[in-house]
Amino acid sequence: MSTPTATPTKTVAELEAHADEQVVFQRPETLTSANFSYCPGCTHGVVNRLMAEAIDELDIKGRTIGVVPVGCSVTAYDFFDLDMAQAAHGRASAVATGIKRANPDSIVFAYQGDGDLASIGTAETVHAATRGENITVIFINNAIYGMTGGQMAPTSLPGQVTQTSPYGRDTKTMGFPIRVCEMLATLDGPALVQRVSVDSPKNIRQAKAAIKKAFSYQMDGVGYSIIEVISSCPTNWGLSPVAALDWLRENMLPYYPLGVFKDAGAAPAEAETEASHE
Amino acid sequence: MSRIIVDDSYCKGCGLCVTVCPRDVMELDQETLTSKGYHPARLTDQSRCTGCALCAQICPDVAITVFKESKGEVKADAE
């Protein structure tokens, strides 16, 4: 007896497509229809979309649980069609640890900004990483506190003018920015530590690949992964969205070089790819 | 022929799509205001759109849907 196969429901875009057209880009299923609450040109939205696309493509929507931080993405539970938790400031990694340990079959991600992850949540972040918790952390680094109105963040660049460093960040009194990926890569716990950017379509594609890899590592039980995404904050940088991406390229990328800082699964993954090509 | 749809209920007029379009066929429509009060992006010349989806890739509000002329059957035969 053949079981009736469910007819795949068409998306809104597919219904709108003409007979001779195919949809090459549409809203991913994992995003709800809610408007992002981010400012115009804020790259938070790009990263949210990339995560949703990765979850769609890995077909893990039904078992993914997200943990959102305090920051501009505090209401991200409205944007993802997933089970979500909202953690106290900086504690997303700790909450994600608890959810993952209680539900080992679920896929758990923490989505955190630089003020959340690199300042108040430094301890939770470092210890989740060194324990090698099998979770995925997406870290948005835009070198400023966004939601609270543009104060200096631990990742603000030397000389950067913010609300609380009006003459520029003076490293003699305010210290140096924290390079989170380089710091965590010194630990034995993490499986994947990578920094990406979303300033151009090319870098966005690389960011998507990194995010997808991080989720697939968690599915395979490889361990802790953190993807740092260099992002823009047009509003608090005082720039237009387009100028903000230029500023990002000129100032942030030299200080925060993109790349893979640690990849525990690199060798077997490559071997598999080669084997599949043969 | 390829085309895009910009959903004005999502578009916040940031203009990032305009900067990445390799064919320069995107612009912010200065004569339209969305319900949020932004000038939305629009496609100025559909005949020149290649459906590359770079605008959609960089759109922070996932406002753009991209359609491309279907060549699916031809490809399937070739493979």
Side-chain angles (χ1 to χ4, degrees):
Chain A
M1 196 184 87
S2 62
T3 48
T5 49
T7 321
T9 46
K10 286 196 169 184
T11 61
V12 177
E14 281 160 1
L15 290 171
E16 281 184 21
H18 301 155
D20 60 340
E21 283 179 342
Q22 57 183 356
V23 180
V24 289
F25 192 100
Q26 61 183 318
R27 242 181 130 75
E29 262 182 53
T30 299
L31 286 184
T32 64
S33 60
N35 263 283
F36 291 144
S37 54
Y38 310 126
C39 304
C42 171
T43 48
H44 259 303
V46 175
V47 184
N48 284 187
R49 192 199 85 226
L50 296 180
M51 292 162 67
E53 286 179 350
I55 289 167
D56 279 358
E57 287 168 22
L58 294 168
D59 197 20
I60 50 173
K61 186 180 168 193
R63 59 185 180 120
T64 302
I65 302 171
V67 183
V68 291
V70 171
C72 293
S73 52
V74 68
T75 58
Y77 46 74
D78 279 342
F79 310 148
F80 291 101
D81 189 12
L82 300 170
D83 289 329
M84 303 287 284
Q86 206 276 318
H89 202 356
R91 274 60 177 170
S93 287
V95 173
T97 298
I99 294 174
K100 182 70 183 181
R101 288 194 177 195
N103 307 281
D105 292 335
S106 58
I107 304 296
V108 183
F109 70 81
Y111 184 81
Q112 300 180 264
D114 48 352
D116 192 77
L117 182 143
S119 180
I120 193 165
T122 315
E124 285 77 5
T125 301
V126 172
H127 285 277
T130 199
R131 289 194 308 270
E133 292 294 341
N134 192 21
I135 58 172
T136 300
V137 178
I138 309 293
F139 166 38
I140 305 297
N141 178 1
N142 57 11
I144 206 160
Y145 276 79
M147 183 184 73
T148 49
Q151 292 81 6
M152 191 186 84
T155 49
S156 293
L157 300 174
Q160 186 179 340
V161 174
T162 69
Q163 291 288 326
T164 46
S165 57
Y167 305 109
R169 181 175 185 164
D170 180 357
T171 51
K172 282 183 188 153
T173 54
M174 302 172 202
F176 289 90
I178 296 176
R179 292 189 180 102
V180 172
C181 279
E182 283 86 335
M183 179 173 76
L184 295 182
T186 63
L187 303 171
D188 291 332
L192 176 64
V193 180
Q194 186 170 354
R195 183 182 289 127
V196 295
S197 168
V198 285
D199 63 300
S200 66
K202 179 188 159 222
N203 281 341
I204 288 172
R205 284 204 185 93
Q206 285 175 355
K208 162 119 177 254
I211 290 169
K212 204 169 162 183
K213 188 175 182 183
F215 279 120
S216 62
Y217 272 23
Q218 186 180 161
M219 292 164 74
D220 297 341
V222 182
Y224 179 92
S225 49
I226 180 166
I227 306 296
E228 175 176 348
V229 187
I230 303 297
S231 297
S232 67
C233 182
T235 300
N236 287 305
W237 290 357
L239 297 169
S240 76
V242 176
L245 290 187
D246 290 339
W247 192 89
L248 180 159
R249 279 188 282 271
E250 282 163 25
N251 298 282
M252 287 193 74
L253 294 189
Y255 205 92
Y256 296 107
L258 307 183
V260 180
F261 294 89
K262 192 168 182 203
D263 190 349
E270 276 175 16
E272 261 178 37
T273 323
E274 279 171 19
S276 65
H277 280 302
E278 280 166 12
Chain B
M1 198 177 298
S2 301
R3 67 187 172 109
I4 64 162
I5 294 179
V6 180
D7 189 331
D8 286 358
S9 69
Y10 290 115
C11 180
K12 292 175 187 161
C14 70
L16 294 185
C17 52
V18 179
T19 63
V20 298
C21 180
R23 288 294 189 103
D24 285 330
V25 289
M26 295 288 294
E27 67 168 24
L28 295 183
D29 188 348
Q30 299 298 329
E31 290 172 5
T32 309
L33 274 181
T34 67
S35 57
K36 289 202 204 75
Y38 298 116
H39 295 299
R42 72 169 180 197
L43 182 63
T44 53
D45 184 358
Q46 195 198 326
S47 63
R48 298 194 64 225
C49 176
T50 61
C52 68
L54 293 187
C55 52
Q57 283 286 348
I58 205 155
C59 176
D61 288 283
V62 207
I64 301 176
T65 308
V66 185
F67 302 91
K68 205 167 190 172
E69 194 174 2
S70 186
K71 289 171 186 163
E73 286 174 18
V74 182
K75 259 189 187 167
D77 288 346
E79 281 165 11

